[in-house]
Amino acid sequence: MAQWGIFALLVQRCCSRNHSESSKRASAFLMGDFVVGGLFPLHHQPVSMRNSLASLDIKCGEIRELYGIQRVEAMFQTLDEINGNPDLLPDVALGAEIRDECWYAPVALQQSIELIRDSIRPVSRPETCLGSEQEEVEEGKAKGPLVGIIGPGSSSVALQVQNLLQLFHIPQIGYSTTSRDLSDKNRFNYFLRVVPSDYYQAQVILDIVRFFGWSYVSAVNTDENYGQSGIQAFRELADEADVCIAREDSVLSNAADEVFDKVILNLRQDLNAVVVVCFCEGLTVRGLLRAIERLNLTNYFLFIGSDGWADRSDVTRHYEAQAWGGLSIRIHSPYVNSFDEYYWSLQPDKNTRNPWFPEFWEAKFQCAIKERYSGPPEAHKPYCTGQESLQTNYKQDPKLSFVIKAIYSLAHALHSMIQAVCGVSSGFCPQMLPFNGSLLKSHLMNVSFDFNGETFQFDENGDPPGRYDIMNYQKMPDGSFEYVQVGSWNNRSLLWMQPPKFPEIRSRKLVRSVCAEECPNGFYKNIQQGGKDKRCWVCVPCPLEEILSVAGDKCEKCPQGFAATSNRTACQLLQVEFVQWTDRSAVVAMVFSILGLLTTAFAFIVLIQHNNTPVVKSSSKELCYLILAGMTVAHASIFAMLSKPSPSSCASTRLLPGVAFAMIYSALLTKTNRIARILAGSKRNFPNRKLLFMSATAQVMIALSLISLEALANGAMLYLQPPAIAFVYLPNKTLMECDISFEAIVVPLAFDFVLILLCTVYAIKSRNVPENFSEAKFIGFAMYTTCVIWIAFVPIYFGSGAKTITMCMCVTLSALVTWVFLFVPKLYIILLQPEKNNRAFFTTAKIRCHIGRKVAASNSWKESSISVTTIDPERPSREVPRRTMSCQTGLDLLETLLHPKRLVGELGAKIVEKRCCPDPDCPMKHITITLPDNRF
């Protein structure tokens, strides 16, 4: 009942005696059993929006050939083909009623009402408004039912028309309406279209933008449903693809020039957004181009337009320079070759079924048709000669194929419906009345037919698949401008036929439309906090040892053992380095080591050759050989430390230095201890026992025992911390070295340090040895120097990266210093002063006086016995019987005893010398001196 109430109001308006100009608008009618309605923009939309809607006194613009006249004639030609086809709608005549919608919603609604009024009126009883001027319908030739409407051309107009048509269940098929809102079947259940949705156009434009790397663009849309829904689709897709929209604006197609100027000035505020995406109708694009010319901003923007622009010459006429380089999207529409001959054959006097054709003819050729005027024509228009040809400046409407496809889809759906209702072989039957638009709509959703070699069908939303041509407005060599197809888009696949041609936008040969230029190598993108998008950033340099992340928005450290490449984009493996034999420091260490080995071998050979000489025998030759062996091991360990790190070389590095030092300093400690004990014993007034462990064998065993302690400490550390290889990661290289912990260094060397300390202490204690027994002094010098070396070693080793070289130099220098102070004096005597190499030079006498049981008076000795004990450093002293009392001789007595001639001659003493042992070289002798009575 609601729909009849609305219809009553409409009929009341239409049937008023004071009907307006709009009720007398021309319409084209073709009789048939079923009528297909057509809404085409035969005239441009009204220039001003100030028309009085109350009186509906709306005057449309100029007549249009493209989008108007050609579409009307294409519909007539298509209906002729269908009616002449025996396989499609046999015995059924398909008629048409075509009205002008002027690309304007109020006019389109008016004309839609006229179509609906006839469709809901019973066919057998045509009604007319009382007192109206409608033409009489002859009996038997009443209009057939309206089965569907083709059009209108604009999406915004189609939305409003659909709200009206679906009330009466009349299917509507769009031939150029692309708004994605129309795919919503919950709102527009009776709308279908043969052109793809704007959603696909948004995807095409986004693919173009991404192909050229334009990540920062502006957007403009026509302020109605077509532009709003299209730009919304682009906005959603751009957000997912990280393409940012810098500026947005909207404008009506028929807005004033000042409004277009404001839009362009708004876009100009963001200088980085060079590319402008325009979901606009053709007149909106033209208004923008006109504003660019007024503001002198030619070649300042590059437009990417939707199918509202496509390849329309009327959009760019007189503004070719401003549109130069623009890219536009044209819905793929095959050229209709058959239409050209049909269209060119039309003449005003013969084409009587198109009421707008004479007006179009006069407008196109700027002449007046004589039959239309009773008097003379306007002064500036001559009469038409009849020689005019439609081939002049002819261009086929790119959407003609869609008009034809829309009509064929209705015809095939109606054919399927008739077969379902009336039978396969039947034509029109009474069961088709009253006509059921809902049933036809269900057949439309399932229609499928071949058109130009392609199978056409609707999807569940009443939409076809998307296929587009990409047009580039280029400047030709002759200075003219033309649209050139440079690419295509089919089923989400972008294909370029040739590269587009762009002018120098803002004096740049390469069109760049980004918020911020890509950061150079070594810089990351610091996105500004609070910025309006994520495509704006500041380039910040990465730290030295870091690389750019994959996203390029931060820097990341390279893993250990890797370093950043020169462009800071990747990490490269660092070269693994270790001490090479050819390194300068290694060569120096090996030179000292080889020198040490040569000197040690030289000393060993010389001592062997002079093994039984006093200078060798007086030095505890067994311990000297042990010291030389330790020096040899110390110098040889340098080569183990300089070899490529491996478990065996690392084990040798930790074992050999400690054992070598133990061999050197345990022997030195044994020797200095022996000297100190001999000197301590010689100072006692009453020695009561023989010194222990003074033999060569005992001395060697003591030294070996100390060495074994060091060997045990090293073995324990090797067991607790097995030798391994470690990598030290430096900024520019990776060092491979032995993994030696602090404990593995300190524990083995700690015992050596104790030996060095004790040797130093004993060297100090024995520093006052008699002159011809001065080896203790040289041992002291060696110990002092060694202490200095190892005190310097600790901070150098733990504070530098050259640990291996530091250890090598400390080891070899310690051995060399010991060799210099211990063996050079001996070699000097042996080789250069052989006359000093005798026993007397290396013997020191200590004389004790032994007095008998009876002590003489204060001035006389009745009987005295004097024992002289000689101290030979090469042999341990042997004890001799002592009397109960003894006294150390004074200086006077010592002088007397050391001058036998004085003792015998002046004092008349008798001297008797007797050996204490059978050995001819026995160091102990008994000397008896008999003094005359009462001499003292």
Side-chain angles (χ1 to χ4, degrees):
M1 296 298 296
Q3 65 189 33
W4 288 102
I6 295 174
F7 173 72
L9 293 174
L10 295 175
V11 170
Q12 181 179 3
R13 170 68 67 180
C14 292
C15 295
S16 173
R17 287 181 178 272
N18 299 322
H19 55 81
S20 64
E21 177 187 352
S22 60
S23 63
K24 296 185 289 185
R25 294 182 186 281
S27 63
F29 182 76
L30 183 65
M31 293 293 296
D33 298 318
F34 299 98
V35 174
V36 177
L39 292 173
F40 298 117
L42 285 142
H43 292 83
H44 285 282
Q45 66 186 82
V47 176
S48 175
M49 295 292 296
R50 301 173 185 174
N51 295 293
S52 174
L53 297 181
S55 63
L56 296 180
D57 188 13
I58 302 173
K59 183 175 179 60
C60 293
E62 298 177 352
I63 193 74
R64 306 174 70 167
E65 178 182 12
L66 296 176
Y67 309 109
I69 295 296
Q70 287 190 17
R71 293 179 183 179
V72 171
E73 296 300 336
M75 186 170 184
F76 282 139
Q77 182 190 24
T78 302
L79 290 176
D80 292 342
E81 292 176 357
I82 293 173
N83 290 330
N85 187 350
D87 298 324
L88 182 61
L89 293 175
D91 301 326
V92 174
L94 197 60
E97 185 172 356
I98 303 173
R99 294 184 175 268
D100 181 11
E101 45 100 353
C102 295
W103 206 274
Y104 192 49
V107 176
L109 287 173
Q110 284 181 318
Q111 300 306 302
S112 298
I113 291 170
E114 296 292 337
L115 291 171
I116 294 171
R117 183 189 62 181
D118 293 339
S119 69
I120 62 176
R121 181 179 57 192
V123 177
S124 58
R125 283 177 38 235
E127 298 178 1
T128 59
C129 293
L130 204 46
S132 68
E133 297 179 0
Q134 287 185 340
E135 61 178 303
E136 297 293 336
V137 179
E138 298 179 9
E139 186 176 355
K141 292 186 179 181
K143 295 180 181 179
L146 181 68
V147 298
I149 292 180
I150 307 298
S154 169
S155 294
S156 58
V157 176
L159 284 168
Q160 299 187 48
V161 171
Q162 172 60 197
N163 288 328
L164 177 64
L165 294 180
Q166 65 183 350
L167 292 174
F168 302 96
H169 305 291
I170 299 175
Q172 179 184 1
I173 302 178
Y175 56 82
S176 65
T177 47
T178 58
S179 171
R180 68 170 183 167
D181 290 345
L182 292 167
S183 298
D184 186 358
K185 288 295 163 279
N186 293 323
R187 296 172 56 195
F188 309 107
N189 192 30
Y190 282 82
F191 181 85
L192 299 90
R193 54 186 165 193
V194 294
V195 290
S197 167
D198 284 339
Y199 179 83
Y200 295 108
Q201 283 196 71
Q203 185 65 60
V204 175
I205 294 176
L206 179 65
D207 289 347
I208 295 173
V209 167
R210 293 178 63 186
F211 178 83
F212 289 104
W214 299 328
S215 58
Y216 196 65
V217 300
S218 293
V220 180
N221 65 277
T222 302
D223 194 11
E224 45 82 40
N225 184 267
Y226 166 76
Q228 293 169 354
S229 63
I231 208 65
Q232 178 62 26
F234 177 77
R235 189 184 299 113
E236 293 172 0
L237 293 173
D239 186 61
E240 296 176 359
D242 282 347
V243 174
C244 296
I245 299 177
R247 294 277 171 176
E248 288 189 72
D249 216 329
S250 60
V251 61
L252 290 171
S253 295
N254 57 354
D257 290 344
E258 295 79 5
V259 178
F260 284 101
D261 291 346
K262 289 180 180 179
V263 172
I264 296 300
L265 292 176
N266 179 34
L267 299 179
R268 188 176 179 272
Q269 292 183 25
D270 202 317
L271 299 178
N272 293 324
V274 175
V275 174
V276 179
V277 174
C278 189
F279 254 97
C280 307
E281 294 177 350
L283 292 181
T284 306
V285 177
R286 183 173 177 82
L288 294 172
L289 297 177
R290 187 165 55 246
I292 288 175
E293 183 192 38
R294 283 195 303 271
L295 297 173
N296 194 26
L297 293 177
T298 301
N299 292 337
Y300 200 85
F301 299 102
L302 180 69
F303 283 91
I304 302 180
S306 59
D307 70 317
W309 180 1
D311 57 353
R312 293 170 53 179
S313 59
D314 62 320
V315 172
T316 58
R317 186 177 298 116
H318 306 307
Y319 305 106
E320 290 83 359
Q322 288 71 37
W324 181 17
L327 295 170
S328 58
I329 309 302
R330 183 181 69 184
I331 301 174
H332 180 71
S333 176
Y335 194 88
V336 184
N337 294 312
S338 61
F339 178 77
D340 292 346
E341 293 297 330
Y342 165 81
Y343 185 68
W344 294 339
S345 64
L346 296 177
Q347 293 292 328
D349 57 338
K350 298 179 180 178
N351 188 14
T352 57
R353 58 183 181 180
N354 186 344
W356 302 280
F357 197 78
E359 179 187 358
F360 153 69
W361 192 276
E362 290 180 344
K364 181 176 178 63
F365 299 110
Q366 293 297 305
C367 64
I369 299 176
K370 188 174 182 179
E371 290 76 8
R372 297 186 62 198
Y373 296 90
S374 56
E378 298 179 12
H380 63 280
K381 281 188 178 182
Y383 283 118
C384 299
T385 63
Q387 301 298 319
E388 296 83 7
S389 173
L390 291 176
Q391 297 185 41
T392 304
N393 297 325
Y394 171 78
K395 182 179 180 180
Q396 189 180 108
D397 185 345
K399 289 186 171 62
L400 282 187
S401 62
F402 294 120
V403 175
I404 298 171
K405 194 181 297 184
I407 298 172
Y408 265 104
S409 62
L410 264 178
H412 281 279
L414 184 61
H415 180 88
S416 175
M417 178 180 174
I418 292 175
Q419 288 183 336
V421 174
C422 302
V424 176
S425 59
S426 301
F428 179 81
C429 65
Q431 289 83 358
M432 293 292 295
L433 298 178
F435 189 79
N436 189 342
S438 299
L439 182 60
L440 178 63
K441 182 253 181 181
S442 64
H443 282 277
L444 271 172
M445 293 294 293
N446 297 314
V447 75
S448 177
F449 59 93
D450 292 333
F451 184 81
N452 283 341
E454 298 178 357
T455 300
F456 177 82
Q457 58 186 7
F458 297 103
D459 62 14
E460 66 276 6
N461 296 320
D463 297 333
R467 186 176 179 185
Y468 298 89
D469 300 328
I470 301 173
M471 312 301 293
N472 181 213
Y473 196 62
Q474 295 183 4
K475 186 175 184 179
M476 299 292 105
D478 59 358
S480 62
F481 293 86
E482 292 184 9
Y483 291 97
V484 177
Q485 183 178 351
V486 294
S488 62
W489 191 93
N490 186 12
N491 195 22
R492 301 182 182 275
S493 177
L494 178 63
L495 176 64
W496 294 99
M497 301 175 181
Q498 57 179 291
K501 295 181 180 179
F502 305 122
E504 291 187 3
I505 304 296
R506 303 184 190 178
S507 302
R508 296 180 183 176
K509 293 183 178 181
L510 182 65
V511 179
R512 297 283 295 163
S513 188
V514 294
C515 181
E517 294 291 339
E518 290 296 322
C519 293
N521 293 333
F523 290 76
Y524 71 93
K525 301 173 182 176
N526 183 15
I527 298 181
Q528 299 299 292
Q529 298 296 327
K532 59 186 175 182
D533 54 63
K534 52 190 174 182
R535 301 299 300 180
C536 298
W537 57 75
V538 174
C539 295
V540 179
C542 284
L544 282 178
E545 298 305 321
E546 296 186 7
I547 64 169
L548 288 174
S549 64
V550 176
D553 58 349
K554 61 181 180 180
C555 295
E556 299 174 344
K557 288 186 177 180
C558 290
Q560 287 189 334
F562 290 81
T565 56
S566 57
N567 57 9
R568 310 281 180 82
T569 58
C571 291
Q572 61 182 358
L573 183 65
L574 286 174
Q575 182 178 359
V576 178
E577 298 182 3
F578 52 88
V579 179
Q580 302 285 338
W581 301 108
T582 55
D583 292 347
R584 183 179 304 174
S585 56
V587 170
V588 173
M590 287 189 294
V591 167
F592 276 91
S593 177
I594 294 171
L595 178 62
L597 289 173
L598 293 175
T599 56
T600 303
F602 175 74
F604 187 81
I605 294 171
V606 172
L607 292 182
I608 288 293
Q609 290 177 351
H610 300 81
N611 188 50
N612 293 319
T613 60
V615 73
V616 177
K617 296 169 68 176
S618 65
S619 303
S620 300
K621 58 184 179 183
E622 293 83 0
L623 295 178
C624 288
Y625 295 142
L626 185 58
I627 293 172
L628 289 173
M631 291 180 181
T632 303
V633 174
H635 292 305
S637 66
I638 302 303
F639 296 94
M641 287 187 280
L642 293 178
S643 61
K644 182 178 180 180
S646 65
S648 59
S649 65
C650 291
S652 301
T653 299
R654 292 169 56 180
L655 178 63
L656 294 181
V659 173
F661 290 145
M663 295 172 68
I664 296 172
Y665 299 117
S666 62
L668 283 176
L669 177 61
T670 305
K671 178 183 286 193
T672 53
N673 175 264
R674 174 175 173 270
I675 296 173
R677 286 195 295 153
I678 291 173
L679 293 178
S682 66
K683 292 180 181 179
R684 294 193 185 99
N685 291 331
F686 302 98
N688 54 7
R689 62 186 179 88
K690 182 180 179 180
L691 296 177
L692 301 177
F693 307 113
M694 299 297 286
S695 66
T697 303
Q699 297 293 301
V700 172
M701 292 305 297
I702 292 173
L704 292 177
S705 299
L706 296 175
I707 295 171
S708 64
L709 292 177
E710 172 66 19
L712 286 175
N714 274 279
M717 289 307 302
L718 287 174
Y719 175 77
L720 294 176
Q721 296 183 5
I725 300 172
F727 293 92
V728 179
Y729 300 105
L730 301 178
N732 57 350
K733 61 183 176 180
T734 300
L735 295 180
M736 182 172 66
E737 58 186 28
C738 294
D739 186 11
I740 304 177
S741 66
F742 178 80
E743 296 81 4
I745 296 175
V746 172
V747 172
L749 292 181
F751 184 71
D752 294 328
F753 292 153
V754 172
L755 294 177
I756 294 173
L757 180 62
L758 292 176
C759 287
T760 305
V761 171
Y762 279 115
I764 294 173
K765 290 179 67 176
S766 59
R767 68 186 181 280
N768 294 324
V769 142
E771 183 178 358
N772 60 344
F773 197 63
S774 59
E775 185 181 24
K777 295 181 180 179
F778 293 113
I779 294 175
F781 295 152
M783 290 300 99
Y784 306 150
T785 308
T786 302
C787 288
V788 172
I789 291 173
W790 285 100
I791 289 172
F793 162 79
V794 174
I796 295 175
Y797 182 85
F798 292 103
S800 69
K803 291 182 171 57
T804 301
I805 301 300
T806 303
M807 177 66 80
C808 291
M809 295 306 298
C810 286
V811 170
T812 189
L813 287 178
S814 297
L816 281 173
V817 164
T818 305
W819 181 85
V820 168
F821 286 105
L822 291 185
F823 293 96
V824 169
K826 294 179 177 59
L827 297 174
Y828 175 77
I829 292 174
I830 293 172
L831 299 177
L832 301 179
Q833 293 185 345
E835 68 276 4
K836 292 184 179 182
N837 192 4
N838 58 66
R839 185 168 175 271
F841 186 77
F842 293 94
T843 301
T844 299
K846 284 286 186 179
I847 301 172
R848 286 183 172 84
C849 176
H850 301 279
I851 303 174
R853 296 172 183 265
K854 296 180 180 181
V855 181
S858 60
N859 294 325
S860 65
W861 283 343
K862 291 183 178 180
E863 181 179 356
S864 297
S865 177
I866 300 175
S867 297
V868 179
T869 303
T870 61
I871 302 175
D872 190 348
E874 64 180 277
R875 292 176 179 266
S877 60
R878 300 173 64 183
E879 274 192 43
V880 295
R882 298 281 195 270
R883 296 186 181 181
T884 57
M885 296 186 66
S886 66
C887 64
Q888 183 68 39
T889 60
L891 182 60
D892 294 338
L893 181 59
L894 184 59
E895 287 185 15
T896 302
L897 293 177
L898 293 178
H899 294 82
K901 291 182 179 181
R902 181 184 175 193
L903 184 65
V904 175
E906 296 180 4
L907 300 178
K910 183 181 179 180
I911 301 174
V912 178
E913 181 177 331
K914 183 181 178 182
R915 292 191 182 128
C916 297
C917 54
D919 188 357
D921 296 328
C922 181
M924 302 296 293
K925 291 184 179 181
H926 233 13
I927 300 174
T928 304
I929 302 174
T930 305
L931 299 176
D933 293 339
N934 300 323
R935 181 65 179 164
F936 294 97

